Amino acid sequence: MNIPIPEVPVRRPEITRRRTAALAMFFGAAMLAFGQAQAADHLKSWNDGPAKKAIVEFVESTTHKGSPGYVPPAERIATFDNDGTLWAEQPMYVQALFAFDRVKVLAPEHPEWQTQEPFASVLKGDLKAALTGGEKALLEIVMATHAGMTTDEYRQVVKDWIATAKNPVTNRPVLEMVYQPMVELLGYLRGHGYKTFIVSGGGIEFMRPWAEQTYGIPPEQVIGSSIKTKFEMRDGKAVLVRLPELNFIDDKDGKPVGINQHIGRRPTAAFGNSDGDRQMLEYATTGSGVRLGMLVLHDDKEREFAYGPATGLPDSHVGTFSQSLYDEAKQRGWVVISIKNDWKTVFQAKR
Amino acid sequence: MNIPIPEVPVRRPEITRRRTAALAMFFGAAMLAFGQAQAADHLKSWNDGPAKKAIVEFVESTTHKGSPGYVPPAERIATFDNDGTLWAEQPMYVQALFAFDRVKVLAPEHPEWQTQEPFASVLKGDLKAALTGGEKALLEIVMATHAGMTTDEYRQVVKDWIATAKNPVTNRPVLEMVYQPMVELLGYLRGHGYKTFIVSGGGIEFMRPWAEQTYGIPPEQVIGSSIKTKFEMRDGKAVLVRLPELNFIDDKDGKPVGINQHIGRRPTAAFGNSDGDRQMLEYATTGSGVRLGMLVLHDDKEREFAYGPATGLPDSHVGTFSQSLYDEAKQRGWVVISIKNDWKTVFQAKR
């Protein structure tokens, strides 16, 4: 999407009388009204409310030449968490579904998995039992299922899997559980010269094969957790082999580290939905000048899921939005997006 | 620089006779001639010869719709080594000069350095002795001088230093020892929709502060070696502190790994000058479709430096271009750029 940025936002009326402060105020208001009218075309799935207002004001302020908050195009960086921010993460992360399916596909090559945890429980379909081993169990599953092939092979495996993967609760394709308002926001920001990045705790190579088509975000603007890779020549072709060894965890404290490693600039705006995004928002919003931090609060049981435990919503191990994060948001002026109140539509129309 | 890409490269003459194979050949030749004429405006410092011809043919072939080698804009990735490929690396890497200068600046805080190697030799000005400790000594110096401050502070230190840094042989500012033909090549590629990346063994944070102004390459398109960083809140501001711990070495086998980590696509074209670039060129050029690999050979003692040891040039520990790399280039069809023969001008005009 390419939204032309008007050099002069409002056509200057033919006024010969002297300029007054009142007139300047009128222009300011008109400029904002114009911006909002323009945004309305691109943020169709957002209700008029504090969240949409904050987005439009931020974009107007950072992209109009002469505005005190003006940010040069090269420095316009917006970072987005993925799970729970750009698409649904309940009842569990999509990548966990992928890993469990991979265990089933690979089981014939691993007879020992029939009795070895956490694989045995996955094969029995008892995911709860499989995850009693906590992070270590999940990591074991990821290592066993995501490594041992080239990056090209892995990309194809992910592409094939995601084309038919469905959410176990709604039975809708996972790629249809992308948030329409956030896709519009990505386009609106890009239309105003922002480079949009994903900064996710999920696997960098798991997201890249579909992020471009789904979000318009190219592979080089996807940042995530990773395992190590090793360069090899195979049949005269250079390949990278995925190793069962952690390289980087792009979560919590790791998000600013990943941002600095990949982008080398402090983001102007950052968007998340959980405690894992706290440091990314701190990093973005404690920079100088106008900054925007936003957090999606999942408070819509009817249309999506409801979890927090912020504001008394049910607790969740997936995408925890704690009360302390909520309190920090209030204190730092981060804008909380209420799915219930701020989003006219939640999911994308069928693709 | 923005070079418009003509949809139809040659205006079709009014011909009513039947199309013949000869006519098609004429069009092909005319198209290439047009491309070369257009390139001539942008590759002014390149002599007409095999290197310039290879560049123009590659760009024509990958960017003209309908060409069998056509590459969609999103997949047009060109990666460049820095030292010895984009700017001079003799008599030693610019970052080594920086590290030695930092030792001198920091010495008052480190009285122990007066007797402790490799620092003692650096302080005596005996760089040869300092480097008898090899890679380990250099690494020790880098850790001691590049860490212990925030990324923001480090950026400023680099900016201040490089503004006045001079090459110890030519006494010219290091930023004036940038290769004019390569700057033109970067612009020519970008003008045809290529995203240009630096992929260097040098420090990622050492290059970013000046790469944008010097090469037109923004921080998010700079890949390099790095030390670890740690997230901290200092006086209410989120910062990243640089730690004296290696994170990643972006050289040799590490270059394809770094490319995959940062870009997530196989480059369409790769440019280097030494054995450290071998795997990057292998990775780029063993992909499918039209690919370009090029190596700068420093064979011009009069205007720059002469070192190899490929083709019988003097040996060098900085930027070694071995005979085996030269042989592989011939075998794989990588194009060797002779500074002596292919470059009309070597360095940028005074900035």
Side-chain angles (χ1 to χ4, degrees):
Chain A
M1 199 183 311
N2 225 324
I3 306 167
I5 306 165
E7 275 296 304
V8 182
V10 184
R11 187 188 292 268
R12 202 180 140 204
E14 296 294 327
I15 286 177
T16 49
R17 278 165 292 176
R18 71 185 182 285
R19 296 183 184 199
T20 62
L23 185 59
M25 275 181 65
F26 165 80
F27 272 125
M31 194 167 102
L32 187 59
F34 179 87
Q36 279 167 342
Q38 193 197 33
D41 294 340
H42 301 284
L43 299 174
K44 283 192 177 105
S45 304
W46 292 77
N47 288 319
D48 290 323
K52 180 174 171 180
K53 188 162 175 280
I55 293 167
V56 174
E57 282 180 0
F58 166 79
V59 168
E60 295 293 308
S61 161
T62 55
T63 61
H64 278 298
K65 265 193 176 156
S67 152
Y70 182 75
V71 176
E75 291 168 27
R76 293 180 198 158
I77 303 287
T79 55
F80 289 81
D81 170 57
N82 182 42
D83 297 306
T85 300
L86 296 179
W87 73 353
E89 64 186 348
Q90 294 286 357
M92 68 180 82
Y93 300 124
V94 173
Q95 194 174 355
L97 298 173
F98 170 72
F100 295 148
D101 279 356
R102 290 293 299 160
V103 169
K104 289 171 202 156
V105 169
L106 297 173
E109 302 165 33
H110 294 274
E112 74 280 9
W113 286 358
Q114 298 297 330
T115 53
Q116 184 188 321
E117 289 298 346
F119 304 99
S121 293
V122 173
L123 292 174
K124 276 178 220 139
D126 189 349
L127 301 184
K128 217 170 205 174
L131 294 178
T132 49
E135 221 167 79
K136 190 176 158 285
L138 198 59
L139 212 59
E140 257 185 275
I141 293 171
V142 167
M143 293 305 176
T145 57
H146 288 47
M149 62 192 109
T150 69
T151 52
D152 292 336
E153 288 161 356
Y154 179 75
R155 185 176 306 123
Q156 197 55 51
V157 167
V158 172
K159 268 188 174 177
D160 292 345
W161 179 84
I162 207 146
T164 61
K166 290 189 173 168
N167 183 293
V169 170
T170 65
N171 209 33
R172 285 183 68 171
V174 295
L175 286 178
E176 282 182 15
M177 293 189 66
V178 162
Y179 303 133
Q180 177 62 21
M182 297 305 281
V183 171
E184 292 171 7
L185 174 56
L186 286 167
Y188 176 62
L189 287 169
R190 286 197 292 264
H192 285 82
Y194 275 89
K195 254 192 179 174
T196 54
F197 287 81
I198 291 176
V199 180
S200 167
I204 188 168
E205 301 280 25
F206 178 75
M207 296 180 283
R208 282 171 163 167
W210 47 269
E212 190 155 27
Q213 212 189 330
T214 306
Y215 304 131
I217 296 179
E220 63 269 25
Q221 284 162 225
V222 175
I223 304 170
S225 299
S226 56
I227 56 177
K228 288 195 191 293
T229 62
K230 187 176 169 292
F231 177 84
E232 263 183 33
M233 291 296 293
R234 285 191 178 173
D235 304 324
K237 189 176 173 174
V239 297
L240 292 167
V241 180
R242 293 170 57 81
L243 305 177
E245 193 184 338
L246 252 187
N247 179 55
F248 181 65
I249 297 194
D250 190 55
D251 199 30
K252 298 189 172 73
D253 281 12
K255 288 204 175 192
V257 171
I259 287 169
N260 183 60
Q261 182 68 10
H262 285 256
I263 310 179
R265 298 193 209 262
R266 206 181 273 261
T268 327
F271 304 84
N273 77 301
S274 79
D275 287 19
D277 303 312
R278 185 194 296 259
Q279 289 86 349
M280 172 169 75
L281 266 73
E282 287 172 347
Y283 189 57
T285 62
T286 61
S288 56
V290 175
R291 304 277 166 161
L292 179 64
M294 296 188 95
L295 290 166
V296 177
L297 182 68
H298 295 264
D299 58 358
D300 193 330
K301 210 177 130 183
E302 301 305 319
R303 297 187 300 170
E304 204 232 3
F305 300 96
Y307 54 102
T311 73
L313 291 164
D315 202 354
S316 169
H317 287 298
V318 173
T320 308
F321 190 143
S322 70
Q323 189 60 42
S324 100
L325 178 65
Y326 191 85
D327 294 342
E328 182 170 346
K330 294 287 144 193
Q331 180 231 316
R332 292 194 184 272
W334 299 342
V335 181
V336 174
I337 299 166
S338 157
I339 292 185
K340 196 172 181 173
N341 301 320
D342 288 315
W343 288 359
K344 210 171 281 175
T345 312
V346 177
F347 296 116
Q348 278 202 308
K350 268 201 174 64
R351 296 153 65 88
Chain B
M1 200 184 308
N2 225 323
I3 306 167
I5 306 165
E7 276 295 306
V8 182
V10 184
R11 187 186 292 270
R12 201 180 141 205
E14 296 294 328
I15 287 177
T16 50
R17 278 165 292 175
R18 71 185 183 284
R19 297 185 184 197
T20 62
L23 185 60
M25 276 181 64
F26 165 79
F27 271 126
M31 194 167 105
L32 186 61
F34 179 88
Q36 279 167 342
Q38 193 197 33
D41 294 341
H42 301 285
L43 299 174
K44 284 194 179 101
S45 305
W46 292 76
N47 288 318
D48 290 322
K52 180 173 170 182
K53 188 162 173 279
I55 293 167
V56 174
E57 283 180 0
F58 167 78
V59 168
E60 295 293 307
S61 161
T62 56
T63 61
H64 278 298
K65 265 194 176 158
S67 153
Y70 182 74
V71 176
E75 292 168 26
R76 293 181 198 158
I77 303 287
T79 55
F80 289 80
D81 171 57
N82 182 42
D83 296 307
T85 300
L86 296 179
W87 73 352
E89 64 185 349
Q90 294 284 358
M92 67 179 82
Y93 300 124
V94 174
Q95 193 173 356
L97 297 173
F98 170 71
F100 296 148
D101 279 355
R102 291 293 299 161
V103 168
K104 289 170 202 157
V105 169
L106 297 173
E109 301 165 32
H110 295 275
E112 75 280 11
W113 286 357
Q114 298 298 330
T115 53
Q116 184 187 322
E117 290 299 349
F119 304 99
S121 293
V122 173
L123 292 174
K124 276 178 220 140
D126 189 348
L127 302 184
K128 217 170 205 176
L131 294 178
T132 49
E135 222 167 78
K136 191 176 157 285
L138 197 59
L139 212 59
E140 257 185 275
I141 292 171
V142 167
M143 293 306 177
T145 56
H146 288 47
M149 62 192 109
T150 69
T151 52
D152 292 336
E153 288 161 355
Y154 179 75
R155 185 175 306 123
Q156 197 54 51
V157 168
V158 172
K159 269 189 175 176
D160 293 345
W161 180 83
I162 207 146
T164 62
K166 291 189 173 169
N167 183 293
V169 170
T170 65
N171 208 34
R172 285 184 67 171
V174 294
L175 286 177
E176 283 182 15
M177 293 189 67
V178 162
Y179 302 133
Q180 175 64 20
M182 296 306 280
V183 171
E184 292 171 7
L185 174 56
L186 287 166
Y188 176 61
L189 286 169
R190 286 197 292 264
H192 285 83
Y194 275 89
K195 255 192 179 174
T196 54
F197 288 80
I198 290 176
V199 180
S200 167
I204 188 167
E205 301 280 25
F206 177 74
M207 295 180 284
R208 282 171 163 167
W210 48 268
E212 189 155 29
Q213 213 190 330
T214 307
Y215 304 130
I217 297 179
E220 63 269 26
Q221 285 162 224
V222 175
I223 305 171
S225 299
S226 55
I227 57 177
K228 288 195 190 295
T229 63
K230 187 177 170 293
F231 177 85
E232 263 184 32
M233 291 296 293
R234 284 191 179 174
D235 306 322
K237 188 177 174 173
V239 296
L240 292 167
V241 180
R242 292 169 58 81
L243 305 177
E245 192 184 339
L246 251 188
N247 179 55
F248 181 65
I249 298 195
D250 189 56
D251 199 29
K252 298 191 173 73
D253 282 13
K255 288 205 175 190
V257 171
I259 287 169
N260 182 60
Q261 182 69 11
H262 285 256
I263 310 178
R265 298 193 209 261
R266 206 181 272 261
T268 326
F271 304 84
N273 78 300
S274 79
D275 287 19
D277 303 312
R278 184 194 296 258
Q279 289 86 350
M280 172 168 76
L281 266 74
E282 287 172 348
Y283 189 56
T285 62
T286 61
S288 57
V290 174
R291 306 276 166 161
L292 179 64
M294 296 188 95
L295 290 167
V296 177
L297 182 68
H298 296 264
D299 58 358
D300 192 330
K301 209 176 131 183
E302 301 306 317
R303 298 186 300 169
E304 203 231 2
F305 300 97
Y307 53 103
T311 72
L313 291 163
D315 202 354
S316 168
H317 287 299
V318 173
T320 307
F321 190 142
S322 69
Q323 189 61 41
S324 99
L325 178 65
Y326 191 85
D327 294 342
E328 182 170 347
K330 293 287 145 194
Q331 181 230 316
R332 292 194 184 272
W334 299 341
V335 181
V336 174
I337 299 166
S338 156
I339 293 186
K340 195 171 182 174
N341 301 320
D342 289 315
W343 288 359
K344 209 171 281 175
T345 312
V346 176
F347 296 117
Q348 279 202 309
K350 270 202 172 62
R351 296 153 65 88

